[in-house]
Amino acid sequence: MRRLTAEHRLHPAQLVLPLFVREGAAESRPIGSMPGVVQHSLDSLRAEIGRAAAAGIGGVMLFGVPEHKDAIGSGATDPDGILNVATRVAVAEAGDALVVQTDLCLDEFTDHGHCGVLARTASGELVVDNDASLERYRDMGLAQAEAGSQLLGLSGMMDGQVAAVRDALDGAGRTGTALLAYSGKYASAFYGPFREAVVSSLQGDRRGYQLDPANRREGLREAALDIEEGADIVMVKPALSYLDVLADTAAASPVPVWAYTVSGEYAMIEAAAANGWIDRERAIDEALTSLVRAGADAILTYHAIEAAERAAGGGR
Ligand code: PBG
């Protein structure tokens, strides 16, 4: 009776798996704060794409871990940079089985670890230069589209980033490359393990460009601006602490709304389960179902493959 009357259920096609790919790696390496998640080599990436396709998930989101970083994140726009190389490998492996998506942000590629390029203010302070960063994002978007990415994940939180990348793509005739805007992206402690996953060089924090966790209306406003600029999909991130923002956005958005349940949320479930404090599988499925209930059309989750396998088997 409960199965018959359930208002919401998970489907494999609505799950997206984030994947880290490390330049120069001969084999995959574990990430300490994310048990079960690894930095992939190109070979292990191929194998993981095969598993993801077999599980029937909707897509993968690629992140690059480059060997060298510099002030402007040159590796992001280099066709031979790790993210662009990994994209070509993933697209070749995935075929039509799933949608290959890429993180469009400079933080993995900059030696200062910020999402944009820096500039000095008149008073001598180093800050992220919004408009100079947009120029880098345009080039990064073109490089990713060229490599075969079908959906660009704009996660840098620069004002005007959706319009800028859309304009660059359209100017190059890339009208079929879609944009996923991280709209309600909050400055969060729950990104902690991700910093280990991508070997982040970040000094300071991202409060200059990510949203304040205290602000609910602002999340909705960011989504409205991104839709106006041409976003094909908008996203809320993190997920579990932002269900109100997710529900608001889902109620108002004319485009699909996604949620990203982030590294720290993954780590909390895994750590508690490893201690025997919670039922791991039930906790994973409950958390994901709560995101669908709040209005997420699709979810980025490091648990995508196993959740899809359970969902395909009718759930628990
Ligand atoms: C930026 C980016 C971040 C995450 C996804 N894209 C890090 C940040 O904004 O600090 C975090 C994802 C996670 O924690 O799982 N490239």
Side-chain angles (χ1 to χ4, degrees):
M1 184 64 88
R2 286 173 85 95
R3 189 164 62 103
L4 178 63
T5 58
E7 296 174 32
H8 300 282
R9 50 176 55 86
L10 286 174
H11 190 281
Q14 72 188 151
L15 300 174
V16 176
L17 178 67
L19 293 170
F20 304 104
V21 189
R22 183 169 182 138
E23 190 167 29
E27 53 193 35
S28 66
R29 298 192 201 182
I31 299 163
S33 52
M34 301 179 75
V37 179
V38 301
Q39 293 173 332
H40 284 285
S41 65
L42 291 174
D43 281 341
S44 74
L45 171 67
R46 280 190 197 90
E48 191 73 348
I49 298 269
R51 276 191 290 276
I57 68 170
V60 293
M61 171 63 76
L62 303 179
F63 293 90
V65 186
E67 262 178 311
H68 305 289
K69 304 181 185 190
D70 61 23
I72 61 164
S74 302
T77 45
D78 180 351
D80 296 322
I82 183 59
L83 182 52
N84 297 322
V85 170
T87 301
R88 290 196 291 272
V89 166
V91 167
E93 192 67 27
D96 290 335
L98 45 77
V99 176
V100 174
Q101 316 166 29
T102 45
D103 185 53
L104 199 165
C105 184
L106 289 173
D107 65 323
E108 285 95 33
F109 298 93
T110 50
D111 51 14
H112 45 74
H114 277 290
C115 293
V117 294
L118 304 182
R120 216 168 269 289
T121 62
S123 55
E125 200 191 346
L126 262 185
V127 295
V128 171
D129 182 334
N130 190 95
D131 293 1
S133 302
L134 296 185
E135 292 303 315
R136 296 290 297 136
Y137 288 4
R138 293 173 67 101
D139 289 348
M140 194 174 181
L142 290 174
Q144 295 187 347
E146 183 72 30
S149 177
Q150 294 161 279
L151 180 59
L152 312 185
L154 279 67
S155 69
M157 291 305 281
M158 297 302 130
D159 293 337
Q161 62 183 8
V162 175
V165 174
R166 186 73 268 161
D167 180 64
L169 291 171
D170 288 353
R174 298 252 177 221
T175 52
T177 306
L179 299 184
L180 161 65
Y182 289 53
S183 302
K185 178 171 178 179
Y186 287 81
S188 174
F190 295 110
Y191 306 146
F194 177 92
R195 304 271 157 87
E196 183 196 348
V198 300
V199 198
S200 173
S201 330
L202 183 65
Q203 314 270 323
D205 61 56
R206 305 202 199 287
R207 283 181 293 181
Y209 41 101
Q210 296 180 349
L211 304 184
D212 185 338
N215 294 355
R216 177 171 176 169
R217 275 193 302 268
E218 195 180 11
L220 194 54
R221 176 169 146 72
E222 288 283 352
L225 288 169
D226 287 345
I227 292 163
E228 187 70 33
E229 289 179 28
D232 298 290
I233 302 167
V234 293
M235 189 150 73
V236 175
K237 168 191 176 187
L240 295 175
S241 300
Y242 297 88
L243 294 179
D244 52 343
V245 180
L246 179 57
D248 286 354
T249 307
S253 175
V255 302
V257 178
W258 291 11
Y260 191 153
T261 180
V262 301
S263 58
E265 299 176 298
Y266 175 92
M268 288 194 296
I269 290 180
E270 291 296 332
N275 277 295
W277 296 337
I278 56 173
D279 178 333
R280 182 179 173 283
E281 297 186 0
R282 276 186 60 201
I284 292 168
D285 292 353
E286 181 178 331
L288 294 175
T289 302
S290 77
L291 303 183
V292 175
R293 191 192 65 227
D297 297 300
I299 303 167
L300 272 74
T301 166
Y302 301 97
H303 287 121
I305 291 181
E306 70 159 281
E309 288 168 351
R310 275 198 296 280
R316 284 166 53 95

